[in-house]
Amino acid sequence: MNWLIGSQLFLLATIIGYCALRLLHPALAPLLAAVTDEMKTSLETAGWTPEKFVGFVYNTTYYAVAIVTFFYQGGMALYYLRRRAAVASALATDV
């Protein structure tokens, strides 16, 4: 159970760390290269520059991944922590 709980916390820290790294050092050039002329026209009509739009989507994506990871992996760690006694008693009985 310690490994199970620890693995959830390790995964949580790893993913949030990766998101923080990507947010601190964004790589927008490949994404900007994928913006077509039609997309640029649509963005300008909507009042966005391609740089601002790609930056907004990039940041929003990594913030969303970090938040979802925090709740999901944190919830899994909490779930396994609360079920520790039940698993221990199930393993102690002979089946």
Side-chain angles (χ1 to χ4, degrees):
M1 287 302 289
N2 290 336
W3 280 90
L4 192 57
I5 296 166
S7 69
Q8 297 303 314
L9 296 175
F10 177 75
L11 186 57
L12 169 80
T14 302
I15 294 174
I16 289 180
Y18 178 76
C19 288
L21 178 70
R22 299 306 327 158
L23 287 167
L24 290 173
H25 303 287
L28 300 179
L31 299 173
L32 286 171
V35 177
T36 64
D37 290 334
E38 292 175 7
M39 294 167 89
K40 287 179 184 176
T41 304
S42 295
L43 288 171
E44 289 171 0
T45 303
W48 288 85
T49 63
E51 293 80 13
K52 283 186 179 181
F53 180 74
V54 168
F56 174 76
V57 171
Y58 184 88
N59 288 336
T60 302
T61 300
Y62 279 108
Y63 280 120
V65 169
I67 290 168
V68 169
T69 298
F70 176 78
F71 285 109
Y72 184 77
Q73 298 305 141
M76 292 299 292
L78 187 61
Y79 174 81
Y80 292 135
L81 183 65
R82 289 183 177 180
R83 300 296 184 262
R84 182 187 300 241
V87 171
S89 67
L91 291 173
T93 62
D94 288 332
V95 179

